[in-house]
Amino acid sequence: MAITPKLMTAAELADLPDDGMRYELARGVLLTMAPPFDEHGRLADRIGRSLDHYVDARQLGEVRRAGVGYLLTSRPDTVREPDLAFVSMAHREALGQYRGYFPGSPDLVVEVVSTNDRLTRVAAKVAEWLEHGAKLVFVVNPRCKIVDVHRPGQPTRTLGLDDTLNGEDVVPGWSMPVRDLFDQE
Amino acid sequence: MAITPRLMTADELFNLPDDGMRYELIRGELRTMPPGGGEHGDESSIFDGSLGMFVRAHKLGRVYTNETGFVLATTPDTVRAPDVAFVRRDKLTDGRSPRGYLRVSPDLAVEVISPNDRYTEVAEKIAEWLAHGVRLLFAVDPRRKSVEVHRPGQPTQTLGLDDVLDGEDVVPGWTLAVRDLFDQS
């Protein structure tokens, strides 16, 4: 006899007690992720701080840290959490009031890859962000010191230490040398 | 006291008894990989059939499957084994394969991604292939039914079921519909 697991909803996810683990919901299935190492958070935060300055001065939108969930599908529910996100002012205003998790994807998503992350899972997550409205996804790979830049329907560019991250039309005018991201220790 | 592990050489790797596991050597360090699943072998054999037949018919060189080892660097030694590799005829002595590992780089390599493959390790392997002379690399993701096309210094294209793999200037004239790669049943 096949056993159908009971699917969890976004509301039930939000109600889980805080036990120090990170959770996501993939089509109703709870995924548990160990808290990342120090370096992981530091890399996301470097991009975050650079974006903060730029975005705040120009009132372009909101830079959001990890710990915030995004509701990508309903029934069954998918709630994902990026390491860093940016939501443009226009996007935020168009949404108006909402309750619970942010509906849909942020405009810019940053994911920092940990040593244990499986490629298929990262690739599926990136595809999911793009499918649900992300315009720009940075996948930061600390081991190879590269950043993969994904855009919907476009080839993926791989940036090395001599290249520059660029906000393109999502955070117009913002840029950050890849070297500044990795070489600050 | 720091302990320096003794580094293994390509010759020592070649002489290991066959225990059913797959091994690679990364700068003298042995890396163990479990054998790929059935799905993994399916894609490799389709490449072997399609690409192998084309290459043989046009006497372009040799196609290697079953994780043939390639020595990419020496002292310390790095031996990598792609799922499928094509080597141009003029790079092989008398057009024949040597005994032991190949000391030339493949011109084309195929890596089939397993669900357990780590993102950072695959990225490192792809970067290494491209840095050592591979001109065209297909990373096959059976789970998403997609193929990433990597070329040195160029953006990565992601192909879906309606797209076609192309040998470009590496295997001129060879093509394979992505659908034929995944939909064999």
Side-chain angles (χ1 to χ4, degrees):
Chain A
M1 193 184 79
I3 296 169
T4 311
K6 200 184 99 56
L7 298 178
M8 184 178 258
T9 66
E12 287 165 339
L13 176 69
D15 247 10
L16 284 183
D18 184 356
D19 59 2
M21 296 296 278
R22 299 158 67 215
Y23 294 104
E24 287 185 335
L25 208 54
R27 309 207 135 266
V29 178
L30 189 68
L31 303 177
T32 311
M33 292 155 296
F37 291 138
D38 190 33
E39 184 195 34
H40 191 104
R42 219 164 41 227
L43 289 171
D45 198 51
R46 267 179 208 150
I47 300 180
R49 270 179 289 148
S50 171
L51 271 175
D52 275 339
H53 282 292
Y54 190 88
V55 163
D56 287 350
R58 292 162 184 80
Q59 303 210 323
L60 296 176
E62 297 171 3
V63 180
R64 307 159 130 239
R65 300 310 206 252
V68 182
Y70 296 83
L71 182 65
L72 298 187
T73 68
S74 296
R75 295 181 196 186
D77 295 356
T78 297
V79 178
R80 294 291 196 182
E81 178 192 331
D83 290 303
L84 185 78
F86 164 77
V87 176
S88 75
M89 191 68 89
H91 184 176
R92 183 66 197 80
E93 281 169 359
L95 273 181
Q97 290 292 320
Y98 62 88
R99 292 167 63 91
Y101 292 117
F102 186 95
S105 169
D107 298 295
L108 165 70
V109 168
V110 178
E111 297 278 9
V112 181
V113 179
S114 299
T115 316
N116 273 328
D117 283 340
R118 302 302 194 252
L119 185 139
T120 48
R121 200 153 141 176
V122 175
K125 197 172 174 181
V126 169
E128 212 168 44
W129 286 124
L130 295 174
E131 187 187 330
H132 291 96
K135 300 188 182 99
L136 192 56
V137 179
F138 297 148
V139 178
V140 178
N141 179 341
R143 177 165 166 154
C144 301
K145 300 199 178 190
I146 55 177
V147 180
D148 279 339
V149 180
H150 300 266
R151 307 214 51 167
Q154 284 186 40
T156 306
R157 279 171 302 133
T158 301
L159 305 182
L161 286 178
D162 294 331
D163 298 315
T164 301
L165 285 173
N166 195 306
E168 304 186 28
D169 55 340
V170 181
V171 192
W174 174 79
S175 67
M176 178 180 187
V178 174
R179 193 175 295 279
D180 289 354
L181 176 59
F182 293 116
D183 281 1
Q184 288 194 0
E185 254 80 83
Chain B
M1 192 184 77
I3 296 171
T4 310
R6 207 185 77 69
L7 297 179
M8 186 179 257
T9 67
D11 285 339
E12 287 167 337
L13 175 67
F14 187 69
N15 283 312
L16 281 185
D18 184 356
D19 58 1
M21 295 296 278
R22 299 154 61 211
Y23 295 104
E24 286 186 334
L25 204 59
I26 317 299
R27 288 174 289 282
E29 281 177 40
L30 191 66
R31 193 168 294 177
T32 313
M33 293 156 295
E39 191 182 45
H40 198 98
D42 284 350
E43 277 94 30
S44 296
S45 65
I46 290 161
F47 267 105
D48 188 33
S50 168
L51 180 67
M53 204 180 294
F54 187 92
V55 163
R56 278 188 294 276
H58 296 86
K59 297 188 168 37
L60 299 176
R62 294 217 164 230
V63 171
Y64 297 91
T65 51
N66 303 319
E67 287 103 21
T68 301
F70 288 81
V71 181
L72 294 189
T74 50
T75 343
D77 295 358
T78 294
V79 179
R80 293 284 201 181
D83 290 299
V84 180
F86 160 72
V87 179
R88 235 172 41 220
R89 184 186 174 81
D90 60 288
K91 285 161 82 176
L92 300 164
T93 318
D94 303 329
R96 294 185 158 276
S97 307
R99 202 182 157 273
Y101 297 128
L102 282 95
R103 304 257 165 189
V104 295
S105 68
D107 296 282
L108 181 154
V110 178
E111 295 283 2
V112 181
I113 311 300
S114 298
N116 271 330
D117 283 346
R118 289 173 166 80
Y119 184 97
T120 51
E121 284 178 10
V122 176
E124 187 181 58
K125 195 170 180 175
I126 290 173
E128 213 164 50
W129 283 127
L130 297 179
H132 286 94
V134 170
R135 292 185 289 144
L136 188 58
L137 188 145
F138 299 135
V140 178
D141 185 342
R143 190 164 124 163
R144 287 175 60 220
K145 294 193 195 296
S146 65
V147 180
E148 280 190 355
V149 182
H150 297 263
R151 274 158 302 195
Q154 284 186 46
T156 306
Q157 278 177 299
T158 304
L159 304 183
L161 284 177
D162 294 332
D163 298 316
V164 176
L165 290 171
D166 193 308
E168 306 181 23
D169 55 338
V170 180
V171 191
W174 173 76
T175 59
L176 174 66
V178 174
R179 192 174 296 280
D180 291 342
L181 187 57
F182 297 114
D183 284 359
Q184 288 293 305
S185 40

